[in-house]
Amino acid sequence: MDTLTPKERSQRMARVRSVDTKPEMFVRKLIHGMGYRYRLHCRDLPGKPDLVFRSRKAIIFVHGCFWHRHEMCSLARMPKSRVEFWSAKLEGNRLRDARKIAALQASGWRVLIVWECQLKLKEQLAERLRQFLDEGETR
């Protein structure tokens, strides 16, 4: 049973953002501080990637563990109410992500997914981002 009224639930869900989320802003600030420059949410690419590094042919998606179904993550737990609706919705998100990533990779893009739960370990994340971005450096 949902603890919120339908109106309260609607208002809460309306506040969920698709861009400029806190995890995305954290990663953007970290990468910018490391000296890398990027483009945001390029609509000409499948999935409107969060960060695009055209010269490096690299893309970074910042995914929320709940919305994108991060496997084996406590943040990706299934809601207790309307389980049928949520399982279909979230599985659809996961399948769409897989299609968009496959399309990007088929076009020659390198793709990295940063999960919301990985933001806790800032130094490890910074090193992972640096390795990924330097891997495709053009000279």
Side-chain angles (χ1 to χ4, degrees):
M1 186 76 187
D2 197 352
T3 58
L4 300 176
T5 67
K7 183 178 180 183
E8 290 170 331
R9 175 63 58 202
S10 178
Q11 289 172 339
R12 185 165 296 176
M13 295 308 291
R15 288 194 304 250
V16 176
R17 301 173 63 99
S18 61
V19 296
D20 299 338
T21 62
K22 286 182 182 180
E24 182 185 330
M25 298 301 286
F26 179 88
V27 172
R28 284 165 45 180
K29 184 176 179 181
L30 180 62
I31 290 174
H32 191 272
M34 294 164 61
Y36 298 101
R37 299 301 177 257
Y38 48 83
R39 295 282 174 235
L40 298 173
H41 315 294
C42 294
R43 293 181 181 179
D44 61 328
L45 295 171
K48 292 194 302 187
D50 296 318
L51 297 121
V52 178
F53 303 83
R54 289 199 188 268
S55 65
R56 297 168 189 272
K57 203 76 168 153
I59 286 174
I60 297 176
F61 284 102
V62 181
H63 282 347
C65 296
F66 172 77
W67 293 105
H68 296 272
R69 306 312 303 153
H70 189 198
E71 291 183 28
M72 307 301 290
C73 178
S74 63
L75 297 177
R77 71 188 186 290
M78 186 61 67
K80 292 182 175 133
S81 64
R82 300 185 64 204
V83 174
E84 292 172 10
F85 166 81
W86 282 110
S87 59
K89 164 92 173 129
L90 298 172
E91 181 63 13
N93 289 352
R94 192 186 64 74
L95 293 173
R96 185 187 64 241
D97 289 343
R99 283 194 310 272
K100 300 299 183 183
I101 289 169
L104 288 164
Q105 289 173 332
S107 299
W109 289 92
R110 295 177 307 110
V111 179
L112 177 70
I113 296 175
V114 175
W115 292 98
E116 175 184 12
C117 64
Q118 295 171 336
L119 304 181
K120 296 173 189 169
L121 304 171
K122 186 176 178 180
E123 291 78 26
Q124 286 179 317
L125 176 60
E127 184 56 32
R128 183 172 165 228
L129 293 168
R130 186 179 318 281
Q131 286 177 356
F132 175 74
L133 292 171
D134 289 347
E135 182 178 302
E137 190 171 12
T138 58
R139 293 171 202 224

